[in-house]
Amino acid sequence: MKVCIPVMGQSSQLTHFLADDFYKANFYCLFDMNSDQTVYFSKSDLMERFGLDLRKDDGEGAIKAIISPNVRPMAYKILHDNEITVYRPDSNLVEENIDRLKRGELALYDPADVETASSCGSSCSSCSTSSSCSTTESCSSTSCSA
């Protein structure tokens, strides 16, 4: 199983620390639970290799889980719809969270844990494909509602 984790940067020091937000991160750690190998990707390289929904590779190379402190509502929906498990970290250190995942100690995200709609931004376009939303509407995890 491959696990994708947003990291602070590409340098050897910054790859040890989780970035605060999966969507906003510029670099990612891809850890293979079967081989214990780690590869680092820039956001553009990750998207090119695995696609926007992280499901481009459906075989053994597919990403099956992410660990992230924050996941936006639409990102959570896409991940959930694509059967990618989302875990909440217990630490800011990548290695500690991988170890806890191996031991089965990381908690799964619950839809109620996902960032609040106010964190979507000033427009519903950041959490929905609906173009008829106004900034006075509130976003839900899957769409906008008046």
Side-chain angles (χ1 to χ4, degrees):
M1 172 174 86
K2 287 197 167 63
V3 181
C4 188
I5 306 164
V7 295
M8 293 296 293
Q10 198 170 4
S11 73
S12 60
Q13 288 181 321
L14 294 177
T15 59
H16 296 286
F17 298 99
L18 267 73
D20 188 46
D21 187 299
F22 189 81
Y23 175 77
K24 290 182 179 179
N26 290 315
F27 298 96
Y28 298 85
C29 165
L30 192 63
F31 181 78
D32 187 322
M33 299 281 285
N34 298 325
S35 68
D36 279 344
Q37 292 186 342
T38 303
V39 180
Y40 296 94
F41 289 93
S42 67
K43 180 183 260 182
S44 60
D45 289 343
L46 184 77
M47 296 302 138
E48 183 178 319
R49 169 72 174 84
F50 293 97
L52 184 61
D53 62 0
L54 301 181
R55 296 295 293 173
K56 196 172 182 180
D57 186 341
D58 290 330
E60 284 293 312
I63 295 171
K64 298 292 185 184
I66 70 162
I67 301 171
S68 181
N70 294 302
V71 179
R72 295 171 183 271
M74 192 56 149
Y76 179 83
K77 180 185 180 332
I78 290 168
L79 294 165
H80 184 265
D81 289 351
N82 286 301
E83 299 177 357
I84 297 174
T85 306
V86 183
Y87 292 96
R88 178 177 296 286
D90 283 342
S91 162
N92 288 333
L93 298 174
V94 171
E95 189 172 320
E96 285 181 11
N97 285 293
I98 290 171
D99 288 341
R100 289 177 179 153
L101 179 63
K102 287 178 180 179
R103 293 191 306 261
E105 297 174 355
L106 286 185
L108 294 173
Y109 260 91
D110 183 281
D113 295 334
V114 177
E115 288 187 12
T116 62
S118 63
S119 66
C120 287
S122 63
S123 155
C124 288
S125 64
S126 64
C127 65
S128 173
T129 58
S130 173
S131 59
S132 62
C133 297
S134 72
T135 57
T136 59
E137 295 173 316
S138 63
C139 299
S140 73
S141 63
T142 58
S143 65
C144 294
S145 57

